[in-house]
Short mmCIF file of all heavy atoms in Angstrom, two decimals:
data_model
loop_
_atom_site.label_atom_id
_atom_site.label_comp_id
_atom_site.label_asym_id
_atom_site.label_seq_id
_atom_site.Cartn_x
_atom_site.Cartn_y
_atom_site.Cartn_z
N PRO G 1 16.96 -0.60 17.82
CA PRO G 1 17.59 -0.84 19.08
C PRO G 1 17.62 -2.16 19.55
O PRO G 1 16.58 -2.86 19.34
CB PRO G 1 16.95 0.16 20.09
CG PRO G 1 16.14 1.14 19.16
CD PRO G 1 15.77 0.34 17.94
N GLU G 2 18.64 -2.65 20.42
CA GLU G 2 18.64 -4.09 20.87
C GLU G 2 17.52 -4.19 21.95
O GLU G 2 17.26 -5.31 22.22
CB GLU G 2 20.07 -4.37 21.39
CG GLU G 2 20.47 -3.60 22.53
CD GLU G 2 21.77 -3.99 23.03
OE1 GLU G 2 22.54 -4.65 22.26
OE2 GLU G 2 22.09 -3.71 24.18
N THR G 3 16.90 -3.29 22.28
CA THR G 3 15.82 -3.38 23.25
C THR G 3 14.52 -3.47 22.54
O THR G 3 13.48 -3.48 23.25
CB THR G 3 15.71 -2.16 24.14
OG1 THR G 3 15.78 -0.85 23.44
CG2 THR G 3 16.85 -1.86 25.06
N THR G 4 14.53 -3.82 21.21
CA THR G 4 13.33 -4.05 20.52
C THR G 4 13.27 -5.59 20.18
O THR G 4 14.22 -6.27 19.99
CB THR G 4 13.39 -3.31 19.03
OG1 THR G 4 13.58 -1.87 19.28
CG2 THR G 4 12.20 -3.52 18.25
N ALA G 5 12.03 -6.04 20.18
CA ALA G 5 11.62 -7.38 19.79
C ALA G 5 10.96 -7.28 18.42
O ALA G 5 10.48 -6.29 18.06
CB ALA G 5 10.76 -8.11 20.71
N ALA G 6 11.07 -8.42 17.62
CA ALA G 6 10.41 -8.27 16.30
C ALA G 6 9.42 -9.46 16.20
O ALA G 6 9.75 -10.56 16.54
CB ALA G 6 11.59 -8.54 15.21
N ILE G 7 8.24 -9.14 15.65
CA ILE G 7 7.24 -10.24 15.26
C ILE G 7 7.45 -10.60 13.85
O ILE G 7 7.40 -9.73 12.95
CB ILE G 7 5.93 -9.70 15.57
CG1 ILE G 7 5.70 -9.38 16.92
CG2 ILE G 7 4.81 -10.70 15.09
CD1 ILE G 7 4.36 -8.79 17.37
N CYS G 8 7.77 -11.77 13.48
CA CYS G 8 7.95 -12.31 12.09
C CYS G 8 7.76 -13.77 12.06
O CYS G 8 7.40 -14.46 13.05
CB CYS G 8 9.32 -11.84 11.62
SG CYS G 8 10.66 -12.66 12.61
N SER G 9 7.99 -14.30 10.88
CA SER G 9 7.85 -15.82 10.67
C SER G 9 9.02 -16.53 11.37
O SER G 9 10.17 -15.86 11.51
CB SER G 9 7.76 -16.07 9.27
OG SER G 9 9.04 -15.90 8.57
N ALA G 10 8.85 -17.69 11.73
CA ALA G 10 10.05 -18.43 12.28
C ALA G 10 11.25 -18.50 11.16
O ALA G 10 12.35 -18.43 11.57
CB ALA G 10 9.69 -19.91 12.47
N ARG G 11 10.91 -18.54 9.90
CA ARG G 11 11.96 -18.57 8.86
C ARG G 11 12.73 -17.21 8.79
O ARG G 11 13.89 -17.22 8.76
CB ARG G 11 11.31 -18.86 7.49
CG ARG G 11 12.36 -18.92 6.37
CD ARG G 11 11.69 -19.34 5.09
NE ARG G 11 12.76 -19.33 4.02
CZ ARG G 11 13.02 -18.32 3.22
NH1 ARG G 11 12.17 -17.23 3.24
NH2 ARG G 11 13.89 -18.41 2.24
N ALA G 12 11.95 -16.21 9.06
CA ALA G 12 12.69 -14.79 8.86
C ALA G 12 13.60 -14.60 10.18
O ALA G 12 14.73 -14.29 9.98
CB ALA G 12 11.63 -13.66 8.90
N GLY G 13 13.20 -15.04 11.35
CA GLY G 13 13.94 -15.11 12.46
C GLY G 13 15.24 -15.87 12.37
O GLY G 13 16.34 -15.40 12.72
N LYS G 14 15.11 -16.99 11.83
CA LYS G 14 16.23 -18.02 11.72
C LYS G 14 17.19 -17.43 10.67
O LYS G 14 18.51 -17.58 10.76
CB LYS G 14 15.82 -19.33 11.28
CG LYS G 14 15.07 -20.10 12.40
CD LYS G 14 14.42 -21.41 12.14
CE LYS G 14 13.65 -21.95 13.19
NZ LYS G 14 13.05 -23.28 12.82
N LEU G 15 16.74 -16.87 9.53
CA LEU G 15 17.53 -16.25 8.44
C LEU G 15 18.50 -15.23 9.05
O LEU G 15 19.63 -15.16 8.57
CB LEU G 15 16.68 -15.54 7.36
CG LEU G 15 16.00 -16.61 6.33
CD1 LEU G 15 15.11 -15.79 5.39
CD2 LEU G 15 17.11 -17.25 5.51
N TRP G 16 18.02 -14.48 10.06
CA TRP G 16 18.91 -13.36 10.58
C TRP G 16 19.52 -13.77 11.95
O TRP G 16 19.96 -12.87 12.67
CB TRP G 16 18.10 -12.12 10.77
CG TRP G 16 17.75 -11.61 9.43
CD1 TRP G 16 16.60 -11.63 8.62
CD2 TRP G 16 18.68 -10.92 8.51
NE1 TRP G 16 16.72 -11.10 7.46
CE2 TRP G 16 17.97 -10.59 7.27
CE3 TRP G 16 20.08 -10.44 8.55
CZ2 TRP G 16 18.54 -9.75 6.27
CZ3 TRP G 16 20.62 -9.80 7.56
CH2 TRP G 16 19.84 -9.55 6.33
N ASP G 17 19.54 -15.08 12.28
CA ASP G 17 20.06 -15.62 13.52
C ASP G 17 19.63 -14.82 14.74
O ASP G 17 20.49 -14.59 15.68
CB ASP G 17 21.63 -15.39 13.40
CG ASP G 17 22.29 -16.28 12.22
OD1 ASP G 17 21.73 -17.46 12.02
OD2 ASP G 17 23.23 -15.78 11.59
N LEU G 18 18.40 -14.64 14.80
CA LEU G 18 17.89 -14.12 16.02
C LEU G 18 17.33 -15.30 17.06
O LEU G 18 17.37 -16.38 16.65
CB LEU G 18 16.62 -13.17 15.66
CG LEU G 18 16.83 -11.97 14.78
CD1 LEU G 18 15.48 -11.26 14.36
CD2 LEU G 18 17.89 -11.07 15.41
N GLU G 19 17.16 -14.88 18.15
CA GLU G 19 16.75 -15.80 19.14
C GLU G 19 15.15 -15.61 19.53
O GLU G 19 14.59 -14.63 19.79
CB GLU G 19 17.58 -15.43 20.52
CG GLU G 19 17.17 -16.42 21.67
CD GLU G 19 18.03 -16.09 22.94
OE1 GLU G 19 19.03 -15.43 22.81
OE2 GLU G 19 17.58 -16.45 24.05
N MET G 20 14.57 -16.85 19.45
CA MET G 20 13.08 -16.82 19.52
C MET G 20 12.74 -16.76 21.06
O MET G 20 13.25 -17.50 21.86
CB MET G 20 12.38 -18.09 18.99
CG MET G 20 10.99 -18.15 18.95
SD MET G 20 10.27 -19.71 18.45
CE MET G 20 10.74 -19.60 16.77
N ILE G 21 11.76 -15.88 21.27
CA ILE G 21 11.35 -15.61 22.69
C ILE G 21 9.95 -16.48 22.82
O ILE G 21 9.82 -17.22 23.80
CB ILE G 21 10.98 -14.14 23.07
CG1 ILE G 21 12.17 -13.36 22.78
CG2 ILE G 21 10.37 -14.05 24.38
CD1 ILE G 21 11.98 -11.88 22.77
N ALA G 22 9.22 -16.45 21.80
CA ALA G 22 7.85 -17.18 21.96
C ALA G 22 7.40 -17.47 20.42
O ALA G 22 7.67 -16.70 19.55
CB ALA G 22 6.79 -16.14 22.56
N GLU G 23 6.61 -18.57 20.39
CA GLU G 23 6.27 -19.18 19.02
C GLU G 23 4.84 -19.16 19.01
O GLU G 23 4.23 -19.26 19.97
CB GLU G 23 6.93 -20.58 18.95
CG GLU G 23 6.65 -21.19 17.50
CD GLU G 23 7.32 -22.48 17.34
OE1 GLU G 23 7.77 -23.17 18.32
OE2 GLU G 23 7.38 -23.01 16.20
N ASN G 24 4.25 -19.06 17.68
CA ASN G 24 2.85 -18.98 17.53
C ASN G 24 2.07 -18.02 18.55
O ASN G 24 1.22 -18.42 19.29
CB ASN G 24 2.16 -20.53 17.65
CG ASN G 24 2.83 -21.47 16.69
OD1 ASN G 24 3.27 -20.97 15.57
ND2 ASN G 24 2.95 -22.70 17.07
N ILE G 25 2.43 -16.78 18.40
CA ILE G 25 1.72 -15.66 19.23
C ILE G 25 0.51 -15.16 18.72
O ILE G 25 -0.11 -14.24 19.22
CB ILE G 25 2.72 -14.69 19.70
CG1 ILE G 25 3.23 -13.90 18.54
CG2 ILE G 25 3.92 -15.42 20.56
CD1 ILE G 25 3.98 -12.63 18.91
N GLU G 26 0.16 -15.64 17.45
CA GLU G 26 -1.10 -15.11 16.74
C GLU G 26 -2.28 -15.37 17.84
O GLU G 26 -2.38 -16.48 18.42
CB GLU G 26 -1.23 -15.69 15.39
CG GLU G 26 -1.48 -17.21 15.49
CD GLU G 26 -0.15 -17.94 15.51
OE1 GLU G 26 0.93 -17.38 15.47
OE2 GLU G 26 -0.32 -19.32 15.32
N ASP G 27 -3.22 -14.47 17.78
CA ASP G 27 -4.48 -14.67 18.67
C ASP G 27 -5.27 -15.83 18.18
O ASP G 27 -6.01 -16.41 18.94
CB ASP G 27 -5.23 -13.37 18.53
CG ASP G 27 -4.59 -12.19 19.23
OD1 ASP G 27 -3.70 -12.44 20.04
OD2 ASP G 27 -4.95 -11.10 18.88
N SER G 28 -5.40 -16.09 16.96
CA SER G 28 -6.06 -17.14 16.35
C SER G 28 -5.23 -18.22 15.79
O SER G 28 -4.38 -17.92 14.89
CB SER G 28 -7.12 -16.77 15.38
OG SER G 28 -7.84 -17.79 14.56
N SER G 29 -5.34 -19.51 16.27
CA SER G 29 -4.36 -20.56 15.83
C SER G 29 -4.85 -21.03 14.41
O SER G 29 -4.12 -21.71 13.81
CB SER G 29 -4.48 -21.79 16.76
OG SER G 29 -5.62 -22.28 16.82
N THR G 30 -6.00 -20.65 13.92
CA THR G 30 -6.41 -20.99 12.63
C THR G 30 -6.42 -19.82 11.66
O THR G 30 -7.20 -19.73 10.52
CB THR G 30 -7.88 -21.57 12.68
OG1 THR G 30 -8.76 -20.48 13.22
CG2 THR G 30 -8.02 -22.83 13.47
N GLY G 31 -5.74 -18.85 11.91
CA GLY G 31 -5.60 -17.57 11.09
C GLY G 31 -4.98 -17.84 9.75
O GLY G 31 -4.19 -18.69 9.45
N TRP G 32 -5.43 -17.15 8.78
CA TRP G 32 -5.12 -17.31 7.40
C TRP G 32 -4.88 -15.90 6.73
O TRP G 32 -5.37 -14.90 7.19
CB TRP G 32 -5.98 -18.09 6.54
CG TRP G 32 -7.47 -17.66 6.67
CD1 TRP G 32 -8.36 -18.32 7.47
CD2 TRP G 32 -8.09 -16.67 6.00
NE1 TRP G 32 -9.60 -17.82 7.30
CE2 TRP G 32 -9.48 -16.81 6.50
CE3 TRP G 32 -7.70 -15.67 5.11
CZ2 TRP G 32 -10.44 -15.72 5.87
CZ3 TRP G 32 -8.59 -14.80 4.60
CH2 TRP G 32 -9.93 -14.86 5.12
N TRP G 33 -4.29 -15.96 5.69
CA TRP G 33 -3.93 -14.68 4.79
C TRP G 33 -4.22 -14.97 3.46
O TRP G 33 -3.50 -15.95 2.83
CB TRP G 33 -2.44 -14.30 5.06
CG TRP G 33 -2.18 -12.89 4.59
CD1 TRP G 33 -3.03 -11.75 4.70
CD2 TRP G 33 -0.87 -12.49 4.25
NE1 TRP G 33 -2.33 -10.60 4.23
CE2 TRP G 33 -1.05 -11.04 3.94
CE3 TRP G 33 0.38 -12.99 4.07
CZ2 TRP G 33 0.04 -10.28 3.46
CZ3 TRP G 33 1.48 -12.27 3.55
CH2 TRP G 33 1.19 -10.82 3.31
N ASP G 34 -5.11 -14.21 2.76
CA ASP G 34 -5.31 -14.39 1.29
C ASP G 34 -4.18 -13.69 0.59
O ASP G 34 -4.10 -12.52 0.73
CB ASP G 34 -6.71 -13.78 0.92
CG ASP G 34 -7.67 -14.85 1.05
OD1 ASP G 34 -7.51 -16.04 1.18
OD2 ASP G 34 -8.94 -14.45 0.90
N CYS G 35 -3.51 -14.37 -0.33
CA CYS G 35 -2.54 -13.79 -1.10
C CYS G 35 -2.89 -13.92 -2.63
O CYS G 35 -3.21 -14.99 -3.06
CB CYS G 35 -1.12 -14.45 -0.99
SG CYS G 35 -0.40 -14.26 0.73
N LEU G 36 -2.89 -12.81 -3.31
CA LEU G 36 -3.37 -12.66 -4.63
C LEU G 36 -2.31 -12.74 -5.64
O LEU G 36 -1.24 -12.11 -5.43
CB LEU G 36 -4.19 -11.37 -4.85
CG LEU G 36 -4.86 -11.18 -6.26
CD1 LEU G 36 -5.90 -12.16 -6.46
CD2 LEU G 36 -5.43 -9.69 -6.14
N PHE G 37 -2.33 -13.58 -6.69
CA PHE G 37 -1.47 -13.69 -7.76
C PHE G 37 -2.18 -12.80 -8.97
O PHE G 37 -3.18 -13.33 -9.55
CB PHE G 37 -1.25 -15.14 -8.13
CG PHE G 37 0.04 -15.29 -9.06
CD1 PHE G 37 1.02 -14.46 -9.28
CD2 PHE G 37 0.03 -16.57 -9.94
CE1 PHE G 37 1.88 -14.76 -10.17
CE2 PHE G 37 1.03 -16.75 -10.62
CZ PHE G 37 2.00 -15.93 -10.83
N LEU G 38 -1.37 -11.90 -9.54
CA LEU G 38 -2.12 -11.07 -10.47
C LEU G 38 -1.21 -10.64 -11.54
O LEU G 38 0.09 -10.62 -11.37
CB LEU G 38 -2.84 -9.85 -9.75
CG LEU G 38 -2.07 -8.86 -9.05
CD1 LEU G 38 -1.31 -7.81 -9.92
CD2 LEU G 38 -2.82 -8.15 -7.97
N CYS G 39 -1.77 -10.16 -12.66
CA CYS G 39 -1.13 -9.42 -13.66
C CYS G 39 -1.91 -8.26 -13.95
O CYS G 39 -3.09 -8.31 -13.74
CB CYS G 39 -0.76 -10.38 -14.91
SG CYS G 39 -2.16 -10.93 -15.73
N GLY G 40 -1.29 -7.14 -14.40
CA GLY G 40 -1.96 -5.86 -14.47
C GLY G 40 -2.37 -5.51 -15.94
O GLY G 40 -1.74 -5.85 -16.89
N CYS G 41 -3.37 -4.65 -15.93
CA CYS G 41 -3.86 -4.02 -17.21
C CYS G 41 -4.18 -2.65 -17.01
O CYS G 41 -5.04 -2.31 -16.16
CB CYS G 41 -5.27 -4.87 -17.70
SG CYS G 41 -5.09 -6.60 -17.70
N TRP G 42 -3.59 -1.77 -17.80
CA TRP G 42 -3.80 -0.38 -17.63
C TRP G 42 -3.93 0.36 -18.86
O TRP G 42 -3.23 0.19 -19.82
CB TRP G 42 -2.61 0.34 -16.91
CG TRP G 42 -2.39 -0.28 -15.56
CD1 TRP G 42 -3.01 0.17 -14.41
CD2 TRP G 42 -1.52 -1.32 -15.12
NE1 TRP G 42 -2.65 -0.47 -13.39
CE2 TRP G 42 -1.86 -1.50 -13.71
CE3 TRP G 42 -0.65 -2.22 -15.87
CZ2 TRP G 42 -1.14 -2.49 -13.01
CZ3 TRP G 42 -0.13 -3.12 -15.02
CH2 TRP G 42 -0.26 -3.24 -13.55
N GLN G 43 -4.98 1.19 -18.92
CA GLN G 43 -5.02 2.25 -19.97
C GLN G 43 -5.10 1.51 -21.40
O GLN G 43 -5.76 0.58 -21.63
CB GLN G 43 -3.92 3.31 -20.06
CG GLN G 43 -3.94 4.15 -18.62
CD GLN G 43 -2.90 5.06 -18.51
OE1 GLN G 43 -1.90 5.23 -19.32
NE2 GLN G 43 -2.74 5.92 -17.35
N ALA G 44 -4.30 2.11 -22.44
CA ALA G 44 -4.44 1.57 -23.68
C ALA G 44 -3.85 0.23 -23.95
O ALA G 44 -4.12 -0.45 -24.98
CB ALA G 44 -3.74 2.50 -24.69
N ASP G 45 -3.09 -0.34 -22.87
CA ASP G 45 -2.52 -1.57 -23.17
C ASP G 45 -3.42 -2.70 -22.53
O ASP G 45 -2.87 -3.92 -22.64
CB ASP G 45 -1.21 -1.59 -22.19
CG ASP G 45 -0.17 -0.69 -22.81
OD1 ASP G 45 -0.07 -0.40 -23.95
OD2 ASP G 45 0.59 -0.28 -21.86
N VAL G 46 -4.61 -2.47 -22.14
CA VAL G 46 -5.49 -3.47 -21.60
C VAL G 46 -5.69 -4.71 -22.55
O VAL G 46 -5.35 -5.77 -22.13
CB VAL G 46 -6.83 -2.85 -21.21
CG1 VAL G 46 -7.80 -4.03 -20.96
CG2 VAL G 46 -6.74 -1.93 -20.24
N ASP G 47 -6.03 -4.45 -23.73
CA ASP G 47 -6.31 -5.68 -24.61
C ASP G 47 -5.06 -6.42 -24.86
O ASP G 47 -5.02 -7.62 -24.96
CB ASP G 47 -6.90 -5.19 -26.04
CG ASP G 47 -8.28 -4.58 -25.84
OD1 ASP G 47 -8.91 -4.96 -24.84
OD2 ASP G 47 -8.73 -3.76 -26.65
N ALA G 48 -3.95 -5.71 -25.12
CA ALA G 48 -2.60 -6.40 -25.42
C ALA G 48 -2.28 -7.25 -24.29
O ALA G 48 -1.66 -8.35 -24.42
CB ALA G 48 -1.62 -5.27 -25.84
#
């Protein structure tokens, strides 16, 4: 609904031509997110 606001990155909002209400609303200005880069190994295929 148009009565909804969305929390997202500045890039996402701009990609969809939305209007910014507030910037940097995270509670901690030094917040971070660990992102893991992985490849998987399952069952009999582990060694391969």
Side-chain angles (χ1 to χ4, degrees):
E2 65 178 19
T3 54
T4 303
I7 296 174
C8 58
S9 68
R11 180 170 179 268
K14 291 175 182 177
L15 279 174
W16 291 102
D17 295 321
L18 297 176
E19 183 178 334
M20 185 184 293
I21 304 171
E23 189 174 13
N24 297 335
I25 64 169
E26 62 277 358
D27 293 337
S28 172
S29 60
T30 58
W32 48 261
W33 196 30
D34 271 349
C35 291
L36 181 64
F37 189 26
L38 59 82
C39 57
C41 311
W42 295 276
Q43 299 175 359
D45 294 331
V46 171
D47 293 339

